Amino acid sequence: MKNRLFYARHLEDLPETGWRRVAPEPVSAPAMLLFNRELAADFDLPRDWQSGPLAVDRWSGNALPDTIEPTALAYAGHQFGQPVPQLGDGRALLLGQLRHRDGRLRDVQLKGSGRTPFSRMGDGRAGIGPVLREFLVSEAMAALGIPTTRALAALATGDTIQRQFGPEPGAILVRVASSHLRFGSFEYFAHRGDREGLQRLADAAVAWHYPDLLSHDPRERCLALLERVMEQTASLVSEWMRVGFIHGVMNTDNMTLSGETLDYGPCAFMDEFRAGQVLSSVDRGGRYAFDQQPYMAQWNLTRLAECLLPLLDEDTDTAVDRAEGLLTRFPDCFRQFHHPMLAAKIGLPPTPRVEEDAALTERLLGLMEQAGADFTNTFRELGRAAPTEAAGQQRLVAILGDRPDTRTWLKAYARRCEGDDGGPGVAESDRRARMAETNPVHIPRNHLVEAALVAAEGGDLRPAEDLLKVVRSPYTANGLPAIYRQPPEPEERVHATFCGT
Ligand code: AMP
Ligand code: MG
């Protein structure tokens, strides 16, 4: 249909047992909190979907047009290592798809829109804090150039919800994603022994995300799908590590087939570097610590591969061999992204020496950990300080501590940059340019996010709006106040983030 606003690909492509039609539960006094005009422009959203009472009534779920049939998707998952045969959209509804300017469709979902058949004990709602956190952090991620779901709008519901720390104002997030297919979507059908459902889901994942694989022979196609998902996931985790991001809940139900970051719960960007840092209040064992993320990605991919076995070969042993043959390559696949990324963090181009260069960055990270150095600012400082000049070396010694290890590292780095170690060397302007585009200046620092959320709960949205402006300029200071680049004072430090479900 021409000029159609919403599409409904899930109804056509997904197994009928994998979704339920559900109407949103009305809210009492909806109001727009934040609206993402840039993103709306990507979809050529009509004016009355962007602002005004109609937009508020629609995005709150109170008055959806008849043509939209909201749908809750079923999924399962492994949560902190434990299988859960049924999860599903317990507080989210898929409205359908919008056509992006790039020609492809994107899912549009309301999160916090009321109970569904998958709500279990939950109230189907979301609080203003977690909704604004997801808005801020996902938009920061997009600006950083890292695959992610997006935030189109945040609305207050006018209702109060009960959470761990007492009553909280309710809110709804309008989320946009390439799709909401999760590793856990496959687990749902695998738990039910539904081979047909799995096949349709795999076909949907290929058609939606990797259409070039459609020309493959069907059996090869499924392994190729797994390979693509492995590559996307490896790349994504390496990108998170570039900017110091800790997802916090890398359960299989929060891992996408598209390779987009999904579900910003107790997530956080690191201030001071600690390889094993955990900030999520629910991750007591440190399963999803910063440096565990690649291992957990591989673990999750293995759960996905188990689901796909019946599609890989009729003979189980052959299917297992094929899946194992692929997944044992994960560490190499990850390194292919991670090593060049590490080298780029210290301004070095990807050369045949990339492994040694990555090791040089690893040594720097060790020094940073000992010194309690700020992850973001140390790399920016290194980008500004010529390693071969005394002034630059002084600035780094001030950050890393005046210790023999620091001096040794600085010497090795200077030799590498100058080409004194037999390597190609790197021009100072190239080094600086590469570091400036690899290392952000602005991340959504936890204490700033926290302060913005507290203000919003009290009715003041300004801090959230200001922070949004800042994180949308991740690689340049842009004349923005220095306060956005400073690590927290000891009393401002956030030691744990909460998911607020
Ligand atoms: P999450 O921790 O947000 O990834 O959610 C895990 C599961 O719990 C998903 O199936 C959610 O839909 C469900 N869930 C989380 N919060 C709520 C809530 N307030 N009401 C109903 N279901 C919820
Ligand atoms: Mg989730």
Side-chain angles (χ1 to χ4, degrees):
M1 204 195 313
K2 227 175 151 208
N3 290 332
R4 172 179 188 172
L5 190 59
F6 275 92
Y7 294 77
R9 70 176 168 193
H10 55 285
L11 301 184
E12 293 143 26
D13 296 350
L14 297 184
E16 291 72 25
T17 48
W19 49 268
R20 310 270 192 285
R21 291 262 172 73
V22 190
E25 292 183 308
V27 301
S28 56
M32 195 65 80
L33 295 170
L34 297 174
F35 188 83
N36 193 340
R37 290 194 179 283
E38 280 168 48
L39 190 61
D42 285 342
F43 296 104
D44 292 323
L45 268 190
R47 269 248 198 72
D48 59 359
W49 280 88
Q50 297 202 34
S51 59
L54 263 179
V56 169
D57 280 344
R58 287 165 175 161
W59 293 126
S60 65
N62 272 6
L64 289 171
D66 297 342
T67 47
I68 292 179
E69 296 178 303
T71 308
L73 299 182
Y75 52 86
H78 275 79
Q79 298 193 308
F80 291 94
Q82 300 305 313
V84 186
Q86 183 167 315
L87 290 159
D89 290 331
R91 54 165 172 169
L93 289 173
L94 185 59
L95 300 186
Q97 288 76 34
L98 289 171
R99 174 87 57 198
H100 192 276
R101 277 182 182 171
D102 67 11
R104 299 178 75 158
L105 295 173
R106 299 283 195 291
D107 274 10
V108 181
Q109 193 197 54
L110 302 183
K111 186 171 174 180
S113 49
R115 275 163 300 189
T116 78
F118 307 113
S119 297
R120 296 179 293 170
M121 306 299 281
D123 61 2
R125 295 297 183 191
I128 186 172
V131 162
L132 292 180
R133 179 198 301 282
E134 174 154 352
F135 200 116
L136 288 167
V137 184
S138 64
E139 285 306 298
M141 197 65 92
L144 284 159
I146 300 175
T148 178
T149 62
R150 301 289 304 268
L152 179 62
L155 297 101
T157 59
D159 300 313
T160 301
I161 60 169
Q162 297 303 323
R163 286 296 181 267
Q164 194 182 355
F165 301 110
E168 199 180 321
I172 290 175
L173 179 75
V174 183
R175 178 160 79 182
V176 173
S178 283
S179 87
H180 283 84
L181 287 185
R182 309 150 188 261
F183 292 11
S185 312
F186 288 81
E187 292 178 89
Y188 182 82
F189 293 96
H191 275 298
R192 283 153 187 77
D194 182 353
R195 189 188 179 285
E196 172 67 24
L198 283 168
Q199 185 66 62
R200 288 190 64 184
L201 212 53
D203 290 344
V206 167
W208 299 355
H209 301 302
Y210 310 102
D212 59 301
L213 299 182
L214 286 170
S215 59
H216 284 49
D217 167 78
R219 197 172 292 169
E220 296 310 317
R221 197 189 294 155
C222 190
L223 193 67
L225 170 65
L226 191 57
E227 183 175 28
R228 286 293 173 84
V229 177
M230 176 173 92
E231 287 164 359
Q232 294 299 316
T233 307
S235 164
L236 179 68
V237 172
S238 172
E239 283 289 272
W240 289 349
M241 294 177 86
R242 170 169 68 85
V243 297
F245 180 73
I246 312 169
H247 183 285
V249 222
M250 281 177 72
N251 292 331
T252 53
D253 52 305
N254 293 335
M255 303 290 293
T256 57
L257 267 282
S258 65
E260 284 175 350
T261 312
L262 172 75
D263 252 356
Y264 293 83
C267 60
F269 284 76
M270 285 197 280
D271 289 306
E272 88 285 359
F273 177 71
R274 251 184 301 122
Q277 194 160 165
V278 179
L279 282 156
S280 161
S281 57
V282 288
D283 188 8
R284 297 210 174 76
R287 179 179 171 90
Y288 301 129
F290 179 74
D291 62 354
Q292 291 305 301
Q293 296 183 115
Y295 303 101
M296 289 299 107
Q298 186 178 16
W299 193 89
N300 289 337
L301 284 159
T302 309
R303 304 288 81 74
L304 175 63
E306 283 166 0
C307 298
L308 296 178
L309 288 177
L311 309 183
L312 292 179
D313 204 284
E314 273 131 43
D315 176 58
T316 307
D317 289 341
T318 311
V320 169
D321 283 348
R322 301 185 80 203
E324 274 183 3
L326 181 68
L327 287 179
T328 48
R329 280 179 26 221
F330 179 84
D332 274 340
C333 173
F334 179 69
R335 275 192 292 271
Q336 267 172 32
F337 296 104
H338 198 232
H339 282 173
M341 180 282 282
L342 286 175
K345 276 193 84 65
I346 55 170
L348 301 173
T351 67
R353 298 165 56 104
V354 73
E355 264 176 51
E356 284 165 79
D357 293 341
L360 196 58
T361 306
E362 296 279 12
R363 275 170 61 197
L364 172 62
L365 289 169
L367 295 174
M368 286 166 59
E369 178 151 7
Q370 280 180 47
D374 186 80
F375 183 73
T376 304
N377 292 354
T378 303
F379 285 103
R380 286 305 288 203
E381 198 60 42
L382 188 65
R384 279 190 293 266
T388 48
E389 285 167 15
Q393 293 185 356
Q394 275 316 315
R395 297 228 299 276
L396 285 163
V397 165
I399 294 172
L400 299 173
D402 193 356
R403 292 178 290 118
D405 287 357
T406 305
R407 300 271 174 196
T408 309
W409 187 83
L410 276 169
K411 234 177 258 163
Y413 181 50
R415 280 165 55 80
R416 173 69 184 90
C417 292
E418 292 209 297
D420 283 354
D421 57 353
V426 57
E428 180 59 11
S429 57
D430 289 350
R431 187 189 76 91
R432 287 187 188 219
R434 186 167 290 105
M435 288 191 73
E437 64 186 29
T438 306
N439 301 309
V441 203
H442 295 133
I443 51 160
R445 288 193 182 265
N446 298 317
H447 65 293
L448 299 175
V449 173
E450 222 51 58
L453 303 190
V454 170
E457 279 166 27
D460 179 9
L461 279 168
R462 271 298 291 277
E465 288 165 350
D466 290 346
L467 186 55
L468 197 55
K469 221 175 287 161
V470 169
V471 297
R472 282 182 170 150
S473 168
Y475 298 105
T476 43
N478 245 346
L480 292 159
I483 187 165
Y484 291 109
R485 299 185 284 284
Q486 281 154 7
E489 297 296 334
E491 70 278 9
E492 292 176 319
R493 288 183 55 104
V494 174
H495 297 282
T497 50
F498 296 86
C499 51
T501 49

